[in-house]
Amino acid sequence: MYKRRTQGAKRDPLKQWALPDRVFFAAGACHMLAYAFLELYPDSGFESLWIRPHPGHTGNHIVLLRNELVFDYHGFSHWPRYWAHTTRRANQWWPGWSADVVNIHKLALVSRIHARAYEGLWMKEPQEYLADPLARARRYIQKFPAPTMAPRIGLTEI
């Protein structure tokens, strides 16, 4: 999860596209990163999860999880540590924040028609970005080791 500092960056295509990759995939295009990862590593065992804030709160986010290994814009992290960090930070910004973690189908990441199966899930489709977010995501993913080689010790500290 990430709290944007650039006013209007999620709704303004030029501002959003101009964000650094890490911010772009943290706040507004996390679902594109997840989809590109699953496309690149279809047999990795990772599943997409929607961090769905409870009513009255913000902070939707998409991550990938396999056992206790999570992947998002940070790279690879240990799920319990990641979840504790996410919850703590969200409560600093939005007191009382809590969320459900919902498994979602891969196609729901890039298709509004498929996303409708999940109440409250709404994300931009690839063609709604200024340029190709999946190509950008594929390049960003290359900064991290392949999931089969991800270390179990020394994972990214959040």
Side-chain angles (χ1 to χ4, degrees):
M1 179 182 318
Y2 189 91
K3 186 175 180 181
R4 281 177 303 282
R5 295 183 187 124
T6 306
Q7 285 290 82
K10 191 170 183 178
R11 308 247 186 295
D12 181 324
L14 289 171
K15 284 184 180 179
Q16 185 179 35
W17 195 258
L19 292 170
D21 284 343
R22 183 175 167 95
V23 178
F24 180 77
F25 293 116
C30 53
H31 59 298
M32 293 295 148
L33 184 65
Y35 185 86
F37 183 99
L38 293 173
E39 190 180 53
L40 186 59
Y41 303 116
D43 299 322
S44 65
F46 279 84
E47 296 181 13
S48 50
L49 300 176
W50 172 26
I51 298 174
R52 179 180 62 193
H54 289 167
H57 291 282
T58 189
N60 286 283
H61 191 50
I62 302 293
V63 299
L64 298 167
L65 185 67
R66 179 185 70 197
N67 301 322
E68 290 192 350
L69 187 63
V70 64
F71 180 83
D72 78 345
Y73 68 95
H74 294 103
F76 294 96
S77 302
H78 185 244
W79 174 252
R81 186 169 44 234
Y82 177 92
W83 186 245
H85 170 79
T86 296
T87 302
R88 182 176 34 75
R89 291 294 289 167
N91 271 281
Q92 287 175 342
W93 296 320
W94 310 291
W97 185 92
S98 60
D100 295 319
V101 179
V102 180
N103 284 317
I104 61 171
H105 190 271
K106 176 183 168 184
L107 286 176
L109 299 172
V110 293
S111 165
R112 200 162 294 121
I113 290 171
H114 287 91
R116 286 185 189 146
Y118 306 89
E119 186 178 341
L121 182 62
W122 186 93
M123 296 178 283
K124 286 183 179 181
E125 292 184 340
Q127 67 275 12
E128 295 178 85
Y129 289 86
L130 186 63
D132 185 357
L134 294 172
R136 185 172 175 178
R138 289 181 201 106
R139 285 189 302 273
Y140 187 70
I141 290 167
Q142 296 307 311
K143 296 180 178 189
F144 305 101
T148 56
M149 300 177 350
R152 296 296 285 160
I153 299 173
L155 298 171
T156 304
E157 290 290 331
I158 297 178

